[in-house]
mmCIF file of all heavy atoms in Angstrom:
data_model
loop_
_atom_site.group_PDB
_atom_site.id
_atom_site.type_symbol
_atom_site.label_atom_id
_atom_site.label_comp_id
_atom_site.label_asym_id
_atom_site.label_seq_id
_atom_site.Cartn_x
_atom_site.Cartn_y
_atom_site.Cartn_z
ATOM 1 N N PHE A 1 45.043 212.015 129.017
ATOM 2 C CA PHE A 1 45.618 212.803 130.125
ATOM 3 C C PHE A 1 45.668 214.178 129.729
ATOM 4 O O PHE A 1 46.396 214.530 128.720
ATOM 5 C CB PHE A 1 46.928 212.279 130.550
ATOM 6 C CG PHE A 1 46.922 210.931 131.181
ATOM 7 C CD1 PHE A 1 46.940 209.726 130.364
ATOM 8 C CD2 PHE A 1 46.689 210.684 132.560
ATOM 9 C CE1 PHE A 1 46.881 208.483 130.909
ATOM 10 C CE2 PHE A 1 46.558 209.425 133.077
ATOM 11 C CZ PHE A 1 46.691 208.333 132.282
ATOM 12 N N SER A 2 45.085 215.068 130.426
ATOM 13 C CA SER A 2 44.817 216.497 129.950
ATOM 14 C C SER A 2 46.024 217.347 129.871
ATOM 15 O O SER A 2 45.999 218.281 129.062
ATOM 16 C CB SER A 2 43.712 217.109 130.792
ATOM 17 O OG SER A 2 44.186 217.207 132.159
ATOM 18 N N MET A 3 46.975 217.169 130.714
ATOM 19 C CA MET A 3 48.107 218.042 130.827
ATOM 20 C C MET A 3 49.082 217.978 129.704
ATOM 21 O O MET A 3 49.690 218.908 129.197
ATOM 22 C CB MET A 3 48.807 217.958 132.148
ATOM 23 C CG MET A 3 49.518 219.183 132.458
ATOM 24 S SD MET A 3 48.727 220.835 132.330
ATOM 25 C CE MET A 3 47.469 220.688 133.722
ATOM 26 N N ASP A 4 49.313 216.702 129.230
ATOM 27 C CA ASP A 4 50.239 216.385 128.230
ATOM 28 C C ASP A 4 49.564 215.996 126.904
ATOM 29 O O ASP A 4 50.383 215.852 125.821
ATOM 30 C CB ASP A 4 51.199 215.376 128.726
ATOM 31 C CG ASP A 4 52.298 215.927 129.793
ATOM 32 O OD1 ASP A 4 52.833 217.024 129.448
ATOM 33 O OD2 ASP A 4 52.388 215.265 130.728
ATOM 34 N N GLY A 5 48.330 215.686 126.858
ATOM 35 C CA GLY A 5 47.709 215.217 125.642
ATOM 36 C C GLY A 5 48.060 213.747 125.337
ATOM 37 O O GLY A 5 47.923 213.282 124.269
ATOM 38 N N ASP A 6 48.544 213.014 126.432
ATOM 39 C CA ASP A 6 48.952 211.660 126.168
ATOM 40 C C ASP A 6 47.601 210.827 126.204
ATOM 41 O O ASP A 6 46.722 211.029 126.955
ATOM 42 C CB ASP A 6 49.824 211.119 127.292
ATOM 43 C CG ASP A 6 51.123 211.775 127.179
ATOM 44 O OD1 ASP A 6 51.624 212.198 126.069
ATOM 45 O OD2 ASP A 6 51.890 211.907 128.244
ATOM 46 N N ILE A 7 47.743 209.678 125.443
ATOM 47 C CA ILE A 7 46.638 208.736 125.409
ATOM 48 C C ILE A 7 47.048 207.435 126.081
ATOM 49 O O ILE A 7 48.143 206.976 125.765
ATOM 50 C CB ILE A 7 46.091 208.536 123.990
ATOM 51 C CG1 ILE A 7 45.661 209.819 123.434
ATOM 52 C CG2 ILE A 7 45.126 207.366 123.855
ATOM 53 C CD1 ILE A 7 45.314 209.780 121.935
ATOM 54 N N ALA A 8 46.218 206.935 127.004
ATOM 55 C CA ALA A 8 46.705 205.762 127.755
ATOM 56 C C ALA A 8 46.823 204.556 126.776
ATOM 57 O O ALA A 8 46.013 204.424 125.740
ATOM 58 C CB ALA A 8 45.464 205.334 128.679
ATOM 59 N N PRO A 9 47.685 203.587 127.052
ATOM 60 C CA PRO A 9 47.876 202.331 126.247
ATOM 61 C C PRO A 9 46.713 201.392 126.564
ATOM 62 O O PRO A 9 46.929 200.267 127.141
ATOM 63 C CB PRO A 9 49.230 201.863 126.673
ATOM 64 C CG PRO A 9 49.381 202.354 128.025
ATOM 65 C CD PRO A 9 48.621 203.688 128.137
ATOM 66 N N LEU A 10 45.575 201.765 126.074
ATOM 67 C CA LEU A 10 44.270 200.840 126.443
ATOM 68 C C LEU A 10 44.445 199.448 125.993
ATOM 69 O O LEU A 10 44.002 198.519 126.585
ATOM 70 C CB LEU A 10 43.088 201.474 126.058
ATOM 71 C CG LEU A 10 42.496 202.657 126.856
ATOM 72 C CD1 LEU A 10 41.140 203.071 126.359
ATOM 73 C CD2 LEU A 10 42.302 202.154 128.385
ATOM 74 N N ARG A 11 44.994 199.201 124.784
ATOM 75 C CA ARG A 11 45.033 197.865 124.318
ATOM 76 C C ARG A 11 45.836 196.987 125.346
ATOM 77 O O ARG A 11 45.464 195.861 125.594
ATOM 78 C CB ARG A 11 45.757 197.783 122.952
ATOM 79 C CG ARG A 11 44.973 198.485 121.839
ATOM 80 C CD ARG A 11 45.524 198.176 120.459
ATOM 81 N NE ARG A 11 44.930 198.974 119.410
ATOM 82 C CZ ARG A 11 45.479 199.992 118.814
ATOM 83 N NH1 ARG A 11 46.675 200.438 119.171
ATOM 84 N NH2 ARG A 11 44.790 200.652 117.861
ATOM 85 N N GLU A 12 47.025 197.464 125.643
ATOM 86 C CA GLU A 12 47.796 196.680 126.614
ATOM 87 C C GLU A 12 47.211 196.506 127.996
ATOM 88 O O GLU A 12 47.212 195.487 128.626
ATOM 89 C CB GLU A 12 49.257 197.394 126.738
ATOM 90 C CG GLU A 12 50.100 197.325 125.500
ATOM 91 C CD GLU A 12 49.761 198.395 124.472
ATOM 92 O OE1 GLU A 12 48.789 199.143 124.768
ATOM 93 O OE2 GLU A 12 50.404 198.445 123.453
ATOM 94 N N ILE A 13 46.587 197.621 128.465
ATOM 95 C CA ILE A 13 45.860 197.606 129.762
ATOM 96 C C ILE A 13 44.762 196.507 129.674
ATOM 97 O O ILE A 13 44.578 195.748 130.637
ATOM 98 C CB ILE A 13 45.275 198.961 130.068
ATOM 99 C CG1 ILE A 13 46.346 199.908 130.425
ATOM 100 C CG2 ILE A 13 44.282 198.885 131.257
ATOM 101 C CD1 ILE A 13 45.974 201.369 130.676
ATOM 102 N N CYS A 14 43.950 196.490 128.642
ATOM 103 C CA CYS A 14 42.870 195.544 128.534
ATOM 104 C C CYS A 14 43.397 194.148 128.439
ATOM 105 O O CYS A 14 42.776 193.182 128.931
ATOM 106 C CB CYS A 14 42.096 195.877 127.299
ATOM 107 S SG CYS A 14 41.038 197.349 127.504
ATOM 108 N N GLN A 15 44.493 193.893 127.749
ATOM 109 C CA GLN A 15 45.199 192.508 127.698
ATOM 110 C C GLN A 15 45.575 192.146 129.047
ATOM 111 O O GLN A 15 45.336 190.944 129.449
ATOM 112 C CB GLN A 15 46.367 192.609 126.737
ATOM 113 C CG GLN A 15 46.034 192.758 125.248
ATOM 114 C CD GLN A 15 47.218 193.010 124.428
ATOM 115 O OE1 GLN A 15 48.366 193.063 124.864
ATOM 116 N NE2 GLN A 15 46.980 193.071 123.100
ATOM 117 N N LEU A 16 46.132 193.017 129.845
ATOM 118 C CA LEU A 16 46.541 192.667 131.242
ATOM 119 C C LEU A 16 45.279 192.361 132.107
ATOM 120 O O LEU A 16 45.260 191.426 132.875
ATOM 121 C CB LEU A 16 47.350 193.755 131.850
ATOM 122 C CG LEU A 16 48.766 193.850 131.398
ATOM 123 C CD1 LEU A 16 49.503 195.140 132.027
ATOM 124 C CD2 LEU A 16 49.615 192.599 131.965
ATOM 125 N N ALA A 17 44.305 193.275 131.893
ATOM 126 C CA ALA A 17 42.999 192.996 132.750
ATOM 127 C C ALA A 17 42.382 191.667 132.378
ATOM 128 O O ALA A 17 41.884 190.910 133.254
ATOM 129 C CB ALA A 17 42.001 194.139 132.392
ATOM 130 N N GLN A 18 42.404 191.238 131.117
ATOM 131 C CA GLN A 18 41.862 189.980 130.644
ATOM 132 C C GLN A 18 42.710 188.834 131.373
ATOM 133 O O GLN A 18 42.128 187.780 131.759
ATOM 134 C CB GLN A 18 41.874 189.864 129.208
ATOM 135 C CG GLN A 18 40.998 188.681 128.673
ATOM 136 C CD GLN A 18 40.867 188.807 127.199
ATOM 137 O OE1 GLN A 18 41.633 189.497 126.478
ATOM 138 N NE2 GLN A 18 39.916 188.040 126.619
ATOM 139 N N LYS A 19 44.080 188.915 131.318
ATOM 140 C CA LYS A 19 44.864 187.964 131.855
ATOM 141 C C LYS A 19 44.674 187.719 133.345
ATOM 142 O O LYS A 19 44.700 186.569 133.885
ATOM 143 C CB LYS A 19 46.414 188.398 131.636
ATOM 144 C CG LYS A 19 47.422 187.430 132.209
ATOM 145 C CD LYS A 19 48.833 187.868 131.891
ATOM 146 C CE LYS A 19 49.843 186.955 132.483
ATOM 147 N NZ LYS A 19 51.177 187.473 132.318
ATOM 148 N N TYR A 20 44.420 188.839 134.007
ATOM 149 C CA TYR A 20 44.268 188.761 135.474
ATOM 150 C C TYR A 20 42.793 188.784 135.928
ATOM 151 O O TYR A 20 42.515 189.053 137.119
ATOM 152 C CB TYR A 20 45.053 189.812 136.228
ATOM 153 C CG TYR A 20 46.596 189.573 136.070
ATOM 154 C CD1 TYR A 20 47.397 190.323 135.168
ATOM 155 C CD2 TYR A 20 47.249 188.570 136.787
ATOM 156 C CE1 TYR A 20 48.712 190.072 134.960
ATOM 157 C CE2 TYR A 20 48.674 188.343 136.636
ATOM 158 C CZ TYR A 20 49.239 189.153 135.737
ATOM 159 O OH TYR A 20 50.643 188.894 135.541
ATOM 160 N N ASP A 21 41.900 188.675 135.015
ATOM 161 C CA ASP A 21 40.421 188.715 135.296
ATOM 162 C C ASP A 21 39.934 189.894 136.021
ATOM 163 O O ASP A 21 39.334 189.858 137.103
ATOM 164 C CB ASP A 21 40.093 187.424 136.035
ATOM 165 C CG ASP A 21 38.643 187.145 136.134
ATOM 166 O OD1 ASP A 21 37.892 187.629 135.303
ATOM 167 O OD2 ASP A 21 38.082 186.517 137.101
ATOM 168 N N ALA A 22 40.377 191.110 135.499
ATOM 169 C CA ALA A 22 40.015 192.343 136.132
ATOM 170 C C ALA A 22 39.087 193.132 135.196
ATOM 171 O O ALA A 22 39.016 192.937 133.915
ATOM 172 C CB ALA A 22 41.274 193.142 136.393
ATOM 173 N N LEU A 23 38.362 194.109 135.829
ATOM 174 C CA LEU A 23 37.554 195.002 135.050
ATOM 175 C C LEU A 23 38.342 196.210 134.657
ATOM 176 O O LEU A 23 39.319 196.512 135.425
ATOM 177 C CB LEU A 23 36.311 195.489 135.911
ATOM 178 C CG LEU A 23 35.417 194.295 136.455
ATOM 179 C CD1 LEU A 23 34.337 194.968 137.306
ATOM 180 C CD2 LEU A 23 34.826 193.528 135.390
ATOM 181 N N VAL A 24 37.942 196.938 133.643
ATOM 182 C CA VAL A 24 38.702 198.122 133.147
ATOM 183 C C VAL A 24 37.748 199.294 133.287
ATOM 184 O O VAL A 24 36.609 199.347 132.789
ATOM 185 C CB VAL A 24 39.189 198.041 131.785
ATOM 186 C CG1 VAL A 24 39.889 199.273 131.271
ATOM 187 C CG2 VAL A 24 40.244 196.905 131.652
ATOM 188 N N PHE A 25 38.193 200.377 134.035
ATOM 189 C CA PHE A 25 37.461 201.619 134.181
ATOM 190 C C PHE A 25 38.284 202.670 133.551
ATOM 191 O O PHE A 25 39.444 202.884 133.789
ATOM 192 C CB PHE A 25 37.249 201.932 135.757
ATOM 193 C CG PHE A 25 36.781 203.251 136.042
ATOM 194 C CD1 PHE A 25 35.533 203.426 136.342
ATOM 195 C CD2 PHE A 25 37.646 204.265 136.128
ATOM 196 C CE1 PHE A 25 35.010 204.760 136.789
ATOM 197 C CE2 PHE A 25 37.303 205.523 136.528
ATOM 198 C CZ PHE A 25 35.933 205.807 136.710
ATOM 199 N N ILE A 26 37.602 203.530 132.763
ATOM 200 C CA ILE A 26 38.334 204.695 132.151
ATOM 201 C C ILE A 26 37.578 205.938 132.393
ATOM 202 O O ILE A 26 36.328 206.018 132.301
ATOM 203 C CB ILE A 26 38.621 204.502 130.630
ATOM 204 C CG1 ILE A 26 37.341 204.269 129.822
ATOM 205 C CG2 ILE A 26 39.715 203.393 130.319
ATOM 206 C CD1 ILE A 26 37.656 204.154 128.269
ATOM 207 N N ASP A 27 38.317 207.058 132.709
ATOM 208 C CA ASP A 27 37.729 208.384 132.835
ATOM 209 C C ASP A 27 37.951 209.037 131.389
ATOM 210 O O ASP A 27 39.222 209.205 130.985
ATOM 211 C CB ASP A 27 38.547 209.196 133.822
ATOM 212 C CG ASP A 27 37.914 210.539 134.196
ATOM 213 O OD1 ASP A 27 37.645 211.138 133.105
ATOM 214 O OD2 ASP A 27 37.962 211.014 135.260
ATOM 215 N N GLU A 28 36.898 209.429 130.771
ATOM 216 C CA GLU A 28 36.950 209.926 129.426
ATOM 217 C C GLU A 28 36.605 211.419 129.376
ATOM 218 O O GLU A 28 36.251 211.820 128.180
ATOM 219 C CB GLU A 28 35.928 209.137 128.585
ATOM 220 C CG GLU A 28 36.387 207.649 128.312
ATOM 221 C CD GLU A 28 37.440 207.589 127.278
ATOM 222 O OE1 GLU A 28 38.522 207.945 127.557
ATOM 223 O OE2 GLU A 28 37.189 207.347 126.019
ATOM 224 N N CYS A 29 36.883 212.143 130.368
ATOM 225 C CA CYS A 29 36.565 213.536 130.301
ATOM 226 C C CYS A 29 37.152 214.358 129.221
ATOM 227 O O CYS A 29 36.719 215.306 128.801
ATOM 228 C CB CYS A 29 36.811 214.220 131.701
ATOM 229 S SG CYS A 29 35.708 213.658 133.026
ATOM 230 N N HIS A 30 38.398 213.830 128.880
ATOM 231 C CA HIS A 30 39.216 214.545 127.860
ATOM 232 C C HIS A 30 39.270 213.753 126.588
ATOM 233 O O HIS A 30 40.199 213.853 125.778
ATOM 234 C CB HIS A 30 40.645 214.797 128.362
ATOM 235 C CG HIS A 30 40.668 215.878 129.505
ATOM 236 N ND1 HIS A 30 40.577 215.470 130.823
ATOM 237 C CD2 HIS A 30 40.588 217.205 129.504
ATOM 238 C CE1 HIS A 30 40.640 216.471 131.588
ATOM 239 N NE2 HIS A 30 40.617 217.604 130.839
ATOM 240 N N ALA A 31 38.186 212.963 126.289
ATOM 241 C CA ALA A 31 38.137 212.177 125.057
ATOM 242 C C ALA A 31 36.746 212.115 124.476
ATOM 243 O O ALA A 31 36.529 212.091 123.340
ATOM 244 C CB ALA A 31 38.641 210.757 125.435
ATOM 245 N N THR A 32 35.720 212.172 125.340
ATOM 246 C CA THR A 32 34.308 211.977 124.929
ATOM 247 C C THR A 32 33.959 213.134 123.869
ATOM 248 O O THR A 32 34.241 214.300 124.079
ATOM 249 C CB THR A 32 33.367 212.175 126.084
ATOM 250 O OG1 THR A 32 33.653 211.055 126.977
ATOM 251 C CG2 THR A 32 31.838 211.996 125.551
ATOM 252 N N GLY A 33 33.461 212.693 122.701
ATOM 253 C CA GLY A 33 32.951 213.631 121.774
ATOM 254 C C GLY A 33 33.868 214.030 120.607
ATOM 255 O O GLY A 33 33.445 214.485 119.610
ATOM 256 N N PHE A 34 35.207 213.521 120.707
ATOM 257 C CA PHE A 34 36.061 213.896 119.614
ATOM 258 C C PHE A 34 37.168 212.982 119.367
ATOM 259 O O PHE A 34 37.683 212.915 118.243
ATOM 260 C CB PHE A 34 36.770 215.314 119.885
ATOM 261 C CG PHE A 34 37.392 215.440 121.278
ATOM 262 C CD1 PHE A 34 38.702 215.075 121.490
ATOM 263 C CD2 PHE A 34 36.693 215.900 122.399
ATOM 264 C CE1 PHE A 34 39.393 215.169 122.659
ATOM 265 C CE2 PHE A 34 37.316 215.967 123.590
ATOM 266 C CZ PHE A 34 38.595 215.659 123.797
ATOM 267 N N LEU A 35 37.558 212.070 120.296
ATOM 268 C CA LEU A 35 38.556 211.044 119.969
ATOM 269 C C LEU A 35 37.839 209.796 119.305
ATOM 270 O O LEU A 35 36.765 209.440 119.782
ATOM 271 C CB LEU A 35 39.318 210.593 121.178
ATOM 272 C CG LEU A 35 40.439 211.592 121.692
ATOM 273 C CD1 LEU A 35 41.284 210.931 122.843
ATOM 274 C CD2 LEU A 35 41.408 212.029 120.664
ATOM 275 N N GLY A 36 38.483 209.236 118.438
ATOM 276 C CA GLY A 36 37.915 208.088 117.694
ATOM 277 C C GLY A 36 37.199 208.497 116.482
ATOM 278 O O GLY A 36 36.794 209.708 116.327
ATOM 279 N N PRO A 37 37.010 207.574 115.449
ATOM 280 C CA PRO A 37 36.343 208.001 114.166
ATOM 281 C C PRO A 37 34.999 208.555 114.341
ATOM 282 O O PRO A 37 34.693 209.500 113.544
ATOM 283 C CB PRO A 37 36.371 206.684 113.485
ATOM 284 C CG PRO A 37 37.419 205.787 114.122
ATOM 285 C CD PRO A 37 37.446 206.164 115.516
ATOM 286 N N ASN A 38 34.255 208.237 115.382
ATOM 287 C CA ASN A 38 32.941 208.773 115.506
ATOM 288 C C ASN A 38 32.810 209.602 116.873
ATOM 289 O O ASN A 38 31.748 209.962 117.280
ATOM 290 C CB ASN A 38 31.935 207.685 115.640
ATOM 291 C CG ASN A 38 31.848 206.869 114.314
ATOM 292 O OD1 ASN A 38 31.449 207.375 113.309
ATOM 293 N ND2 ASN A 38 32.340 205.621 114.400
ATOM 294 N N GLY A 39 34.018 209.934 117.403
ATOM 295 C CA GLY A 39 33.994 210.772 118.667
ATOM 296 C C GLY A 39 33.489 209.988 119.902
ATOM 297 O O GLY A 39 33.138 210.586 120.941
#
C-alpha cells in the first residue's frame, strides 16, 4: 500500500482463499521490481 508503505498479509490471505476455494488477485504497482529477494 503506497501511502503508508504497508505490506498486505498475503500468507494469511492465501490461507483463507484456499479454505474458501477462492482465487487471489494482487495489485503489485508498488512492489514489482524491488520487493522480494529477486524483485
